[in-house]
Amino acid sequence: MYLINTHNGVKEKGIKRIHIEDYPAVKAHLDLYYPQLEKRADRGDTPYNLRNCAYIEDFSKQKIVYSDISERLNFQIIEKEMYFNNTIYFITSETENLDYLLRFLNSNLIDWYYKTLSVQLGEKAVRMFTIYVLNIPIPKNKDKENIYKSYQLTKEEIDFLLEGYLAGIIPDYQMSAFLMAVYFNNMTKEELTYFTLKMRNSGDIITFDNLDYYLVDKHSTGGVGDKVTVVLGPILAALGMATAKLSGKGLGHTGGTIDKFESIENFKFSLAKEELVEVAGKTGVGLMGYSDNIVPLDKKIYALRDVTATVDSIPLIASSIMSKKLAIQSDLIILDVKVGDGAFMKTIEDARELSRRMVEIGNSVGRKTIAVLTNMDEPLGYNIGNANEIIEGIEALKGHWSADLKEVVYEIVYIALKHKGEVETFEEASEKIDEVIKNGKALEILKDFIDLSGGDGQVVNNYKLLPEPKSIIEVYSTKDGFVEKIKAEEIGKAAMVIGAGRATKEDEIDHAVGILLKKKVGDLVKKGDLIAEIHYNDDKNIEQSRAMIIDAYVVGSKEQKGIKNILEIIE
C-alpha cells in the first residue's frame, strides 16, 4: 500500500511539489469524484492537491511517535515514513538526542508522572493530549559534570529540603520532583555524602562507649538463601571481633535475618541500645531490629520512592543503606552486594556503581567501607527458607559447609581480619577460621547468643526445637545433562508461594517451610533424578511451587563448572 501526498511543495524550503500527472492511475480514479474534489475545504492550488502542512518536511525525519489513547505510555522511534490508521502524534528535533528522549519518556517514572496530570479514560487508559505531553519535565542531555558544577545543591539547600520534609512543611509533590531529578541527573559525591549524613542525623545514633571490640558491620543487599549473617557473626566473635548491627525483616523471596532467627521459639532481637550492648558485650554478636527512631527520614522518603517509580535510583539506594549503616558505631563496614538473577542488582555494571557510591559515602566520612560483589545467579547454599537456613548455618559452624557459602563467609572474614591488622593473606585468615570451627568456639558463641536472646541454645544440637513442616514433596529432573543455571529468583518465588517469604508487608511467614536443593550448577543429572524437596504445611500452591522449581533448573548437554562466587572487591 502506498500513501501519496500530492502537496504543493514549499519553494523556500526546497521541497518540490508532487504533480498528479505523474500518477495517471490515481488521477483517473480521482477524476470520478472531481465535482466533490473541487468543493474540498482542504484543497491545495488544484483540486487534486492537499493544502500544505507547515511542517511537511518533518514527516521524512527520524521521529518519536505515540498514540492518542494508551494504557501505558508507549513511545517509539520511526526512522522512515509510515502510515497509521489511528490518531498519532510525533516529536522530531534537529538538536535533541531522540534516543535519550525515548528512554526518558518510556520510563516507569514518566508513566507515573503523566498519569497524575492527564485525562484518565476508565481505570487504565489515558489520553495523550499535547497540552499534557508538553508539561512533562525533560532534563537536558548535557555533559553531567557541567550540570553538576552549575547546579550542585548546597548544604543549606539540602538542610531546607530534608528538614522541611521531615517536619511536614515540604509537601509530597515537591519531594517527588526532587526524587525524580535525582533519578535522572544523579548526585555528586559531595551532595550524596551530605544528603546521607542528613538522613542519618534525622534520628537516633547508636554508639558503644563501653564495648571494647573491633566492630564489624556487614550488610547484604539481599538474595536467595542468604544465611551469611547467621554464620559470620559467631566466627567474627570467636576471632576477637564483634558484630553489632541493625537487621530487618524480609519482603520478597524469603525472610530477612530477623525472620530466620525468629524461627527459634521465644527468640527476641534487642529492642533497645542497652539490650544490644549487653548481648554484644557478652557474646560479640549483637543484632537489633530497626526502629522508627533510627533514620526516620529514610522510611518517609522510601514510601514516596515506592509510588514514584524511583526505588531503583542508585544514589537513593546508596543513601538509604548507608544512612542506616552510619547510624550505628562500627570500625569497618563490609557491604555484600549481591549480583545476578536472584539479586536486586541484576547486572555487574549496576552493582559496581551502587558499590562505588556506598564506599564513597563511607570513606568520605571516615568510616572504612569495603564492598564485596558476590554472585546470586544461583541460590546461596542448599536451603531456602527460615528454620532450614538456621540449620544450614549451624551445620556450617560444625564444619559441614556448602562450597559457595564457605567462599563468601571466608572472604568477608579475611577482609575483616586484614583491616584489623591481624593477617596479610587469605591463607592466614583461613587457618584462623578453620581453628574456631574445629574447636567449637564459634558454635558455642552462637549457642550463647541464642540463649541471651530468649531462645533455647540447645537448638544447635537438637533441630527438633525448630518448627518442622508437615509434608515433603520431591521434585525430579525432566532432562538429562548438566545443570547450567538455577534461576535464583524463580527458586525464591517458589519458596515464597508456600509461605517462606512475604509478597506484602502484612503477610505472615511460615518459619517451617522452605526448599532444599539437591543439585547445584555444574552437577550431572539424569531424567528422574531428585533435584529438590519442597517442605510445606499447606498444599494450596504446592504444584505452582514445583513447576517453578522445574523451570528454574536449566539443564544442557555441556559440562559446566560451578559459578564463581566472589566477583569483585571495591574499596
Side-chain angles (χ1 to χ4, degrees), residues 252-440:
H253 312 134
T254 51
T257 299
I258 284 182
D259 298 301
K260 297 184 202 308
F261 274 106
E262 285 183 346
S263 299
I264 302 167
E265 189 175 5
N266 297 322
F267 184 98
K268 297 294 180 188
F269 268 87
S270 301
L271 298 176
K273 172 186 171 181
E274 293 73 23
E275 294 176 31
L276 181 64
V277 171
E278 181 186 0
V279 176
K282 290 179 179 178
T283 68
V285 180
L287 299 174
M288 179 177 169
Y290 290 111
S291 78
D292 292 339
N293 296 326
I294 297 171
V295 198
L297 254 175
D298 178 63
K299 186 175 182 180
K300 192 171 183 183
I301 288 175
Y302 189 88
L304 198 57
R305 285 169 58 200
D306 195 35
V307 297
T308 55
T310 54
V311 168
D312 54 353
S313 164
I314 284 180
L316 295 177
I317 297 169
S319 65
S320 175
I321 291 171
M322 290 303 294
S323 62
K324 295 189 283 273
K325 294 293 102 183
L326 296 174
I328 188 166
Q329 180 184 334
S330 63
D331 296 294
L332 175 65
I333 297 172
I334 300 177
L335 303 164
D336 179 3
V337 180
K338 305 294 187 188
V339 188
D341 185 82
F344 185 69
M345 294 288 112
K346 302 294 185 187
T347 69
I348 192 74
E349 292 79 16
D350 284 346
R352 282 193 193 112
E353 177 63 10
L354 175 61
S355 299
R356 185 184 69 79
R357 299 314 303 265
M358 293 192 293
V359 168
E360 187 177 77
I361 293 167
N363 291 338
S364 293
V365 300
R367 191 80 64 92
K368 183 60 184 177
T369 305
I370 299 169
V372 185
L373 277 62
T374 61
N375 204 328
M376 191 40 69
D377 268 338
E378 73 170 339
L380 188 62
Y382 286 90
N383 287 274
I384 299 92
N386 294 283
N388 59 346
E389 289 195 40
I390 290 289
I391 293 172
E392 186 168 9
I394 293 169
E395 285 297 307
L397 293 177
K398 293 177 180 179
H400 308 139
W401 293 90
S402 67
D404 51 356
L405 178 61
K406 183 175 183 178
E407 186 179 349
V408 172
V409 171
Y410 272 52
E411 183 68 29
I412 292 173
V413 176
Y414 162 57
I415 291 170
L417 286 170
K418 181 181 177 183
H419 284 272
K420 189 188 176 192
E422 290 200 2
V423 302
E424 291 290 334
T425 68
F426 181 82
E427 289 70 28
E428 290 177 273
S430 295
E431 288 178 10
K432 287 179 175 289
I433 301 168
D434 290 343
E435 180 61 26
V436 297
I437 297 292
K438 186 178 180 180
N439 64 24

Side-chain angles (χ1 to χ4, degrees), residues 213-225:
Y213 285 103
Y214 184 81
L215 292 171
V216 179
D217 188 347
K218 191 277 299 181
H219 173 82
S220 170
T221 56
V224 181

